[in-house]
Amino acid sequence: ESARERARSPDHQPLPPVSPLSLPSPLLSDFGTGLYHWIVDNYGDGSTPLLGPQIAAFQGHHQRPWTIVERQFANNCHTTFKPAAAVCAAWLAAVPGDAPPAAGAFFATLIACAALSQQFHAWAHGRPSTLPAPVKALQAAGVLVSTKAHGAHHRAPFEGNYCIVSGAWNGLLDGAGFWRGLERAVHGVTGVEPRCWSEPNYDWVEE
């Protein structure tokens, strides 16, 4: 049976076009990475359940930001792909097989951007001369966070520019005082101050 004959079959289901609903996914992923980045930058330490290794890694990154470009893809991204795989498994178990393709496109794009955020982050630390031309073009277009945009985060006390997919949210969230409002709310409920309210202290971070 030829491909043309299969396409004419009444049972044939053509591939759906790219759903417009998938377009907001990178923006949601960008916000999600910013929220997570803010949490691990400001609260807990290496002994914190579940998040401890990530908290210590992010604080170590503030001390030695250049090392992220020296690591291979799997080394950088395994920490994001593991939780992404768990979320994907939960999606497959919970969502019926006849769910609208648009929903799958939205979810797949959302998870892919989140899982790859550490690679986007690594590219934002790379020298332009070392980056592939498509990556530089996407950074220039604002699709991926750029070296200049992310560089604004790496100034003590690391109090803003947390989003690391495209960085599209950074200007809005920082300008609106979003993170400071969250910090005041957390402090009001728990009495815990975020790290960015004081000068960095890395005594607890392992070398």
Side-chain angles (χ1 to χ4, degrees):
E1 184 181 19
S2 68
R4 181 174 297 178
E5 290 171 336
R6 288 196 299 272
R8 290 175 177 171
S9 169
D11 297 326
H12 176 70
Q13 296 293 325
L15 290 173
V18 175
S19 170
L21 291 177
S22 67
L23 299 180
S25 297
L27 284 175
L28 289 178
S29 287
D30 191 48
F31 177 79
T33 61
L35 182 61
Y36 183 79
H37 192 177
W38 168 78
I39 291 170
V40 297
D41 267 12
N42 286 289
Y43 300 100
D45 57 29
S47 64
T48 300
L50 296 179
L51 298 181
Q54 278 283 287
I55 293 169
F58 270 77
Q59 295 307 303
H61 175 61
H62 287 166
Q63 291 179 283
R64 300 173 295 277
W66 63 87
T67 60
I68 194 171
V69 300
E70 299 173 351
R71 295 193 293 267
Q72 295 183 347
F73 175 84
N75 193 334
N76 272 332
C77 293
H78 74 279
T79 55
T80 49
F81 270 78
K82 286 179 180 178
V87 173
C88 286
W91 168 274
L92 292 173
V95 176
D98 59 352
F106 174 86
F107 177 79
T109 307
L110 181 75
I111 291 298
C113 288
L116 290 167
S117 62
Q118 269 296 82
Q119 184 58 48
F120 304 153
H121 182 194
W123 282 331
H125 280 278
R127 294 180 180 177
S129 61
T130 67
L131 297 176
V135 171
K136 289 190 287 187
L138 290 172
Q139 288 181 341
V143 177
L144 298 181
V145 64
S146 68
T147 301
K148 181 179 180 180
H150 182 61
H153 171 71
H154 280 272
R155 298 171 186 156
F158 311 98
E159 61 184 356
N161 291 282
Y162 292 112
C163 302
I164 56 173
V165 173
S166 64
W169 284 96
N170 285 328
L172 176 62
L173 297 176
D174 293 349
F178 178 79
W179 306 117
R180 303 295 83 77
L182 277 184
E183 290 156 9
R184 287 192 294 270
V186 171
H187 183 257
V189 172
T190 67
V192 176
E193 294 187 358
R195 271 185 281 272
C196 68
W197 284 11
S198 56
E199 289 301 311
N201 179 2
Y202 300 119
D203 290 345
W204 59 273
V205 180
E206 293 183 4
E207 292 292 336

